[in-house]
Amino acid sequence: MSNILFIVCPFSCVENKLKQKYGSNAFFISSPGAIIPYNDHLFIEVLMGEIVRNNINAIYFVNDASSRIINSVILNKDLFGLDAEHWVESIYKQAFATSLKGRSNQYQLFRLAELIAHNQKNEFLTNGVFTDLIIEEKIVVKTLVISSSMQFVKESRIAAPIKATYEL
C-alpha cells in the first residue's frame, strides 16, 4: 500500500478533501504557503524523520488556488510579513510580466498556485538535502493544485526540468 505525504499550507484546510481522494494512508506536514523553510533545521529534521518513519513513497506539494497568501499577493493586499508571502510575491512578479497579465483573477490564482507547487517540487529535488533519501527510497515527487471554487483536485502538468536521477 502506498503511503503519501502531502506538504500543505496550514491556512488552506485541504486535509479532509485529500484524505477522501487518496485514502487513509495520507500523512500531512504543513508550512505557510506549502513552502519548505530550508533554513529551519528543526523543520527539515522533522520532515526527514516523518518520511522515513512513515515509509513514504510519494510526496505531493499541494497548493489551494483560493489560498489567502496567493489572494493577498494577486489583489495587492497588505502582507503579514511571512517569508512565504514574500516568496509568493516574487514568483508572481516574475510570472505576471510574461504570462498572467490581463488574465482573470481565477486564472491567475490557479496558475500562481501551480507555479508555487512546481517551484517547491524543483527545489526539493535539486537542493541536495533530500536527494539521497529520494533516490534510496525511490520516492515519487508530484504537485497538486486544489480549487475549492471550481471543485477539483488537479495534478500539475508542468514538466520538471529533472527527467531522471542517477546514482553514482
Side-chain angles (χ1 to χ4, degrees):
M1 196 171 282
S2 188
N3 289 341
I4 302 171
L5 175 66
F6 294 97
I7 299 173
V8 299
C9 178
F11 311 121
S12 63
C13 304
V14 296
E15 290 87 346
N16 285 334
K17 189 177 289 190
L18 292 170
K19 275 196 173 207
Q20 288 173 353
K21 184 169 176 69
Y22 292 94
S24 61
N25 287 351
F27 298 89
F28 299 90
I29 292 228
S30 64
S31 180
I35 297 168
I36 294 177
Y38 290 100
N39 59 347
D40 183 341
H41 300 291
L42 182 57
F43 184 91
I44 297 301
E45 283 182 38
V46 168
L47 178 55
M48 187 97 55
E50 289 304 307
I51 292 170
V52 172
R53 192 173 13 269
N54 294 305
N55 211 17
I56 299 298
N57 48 25
I59 297 173
Y60 284 85
F61 286 91
V62 181
N63 242 309
D64 187 350
S66 61
S67 158
R68 283 183 250 170
I69 293 174
I70 294 171
N71 268 294
S72 293
V73 167
I74 287 177
L75 299 175
N76 202 23
K77 292 183 179 179
D78 288 337
L79 304 177
F80 292 101
L82 296 171
D83 288 340
E85 291 173 316
H86 297 293
W87 193 81
V88 168
E89 186 176 46
S90 167
I91 296 279
Y92 178 68
K93 286 178 180 177
Q94 291 172 15
F96 182 78
T98 57
S99 67
L100 298 177
K101 192 173 186 174
R103 301 289 190 134
S104 70
N105 274 351
Q106 193 170 25
Y107 180 86
Q108 288 185 44
L109 290 167
F110 178 79
R111 287 296 173 219
L112 186 55
E114 194 172 39
L115 283 170
I116 293 163
H118 176 68
N119 282 342
Q120 282 303 293
K121 174 185 171 183
N122 288 343
E123 179 69 21
F124 189 78
L125 289 171
T126 61
N127 75 6
V129 175
F130 297 97
T131 306
D132 290 341
L133 186 61
I134 292 167
I135 292 170
E136 289 168 10
E137 301 299 322
K138 297 180 176 124
I139 298 171
V140 175
V141 182
K142 298 182 177 187
T143 62
L144 288 176
V145 176
I146 295 177
S147 176
S148 300
S149 63
M150 295 189 285
Q151 300 292 315
F152 71 82
V153 176
K154 180 181 181 254
E155 195 169 313
S156 178
R157 294 183 315 189
I158 297 176
I162 301 154
K163 300 293 184 199
T165 56
Y166 301 94
E167 192 166 352
L168 300 175

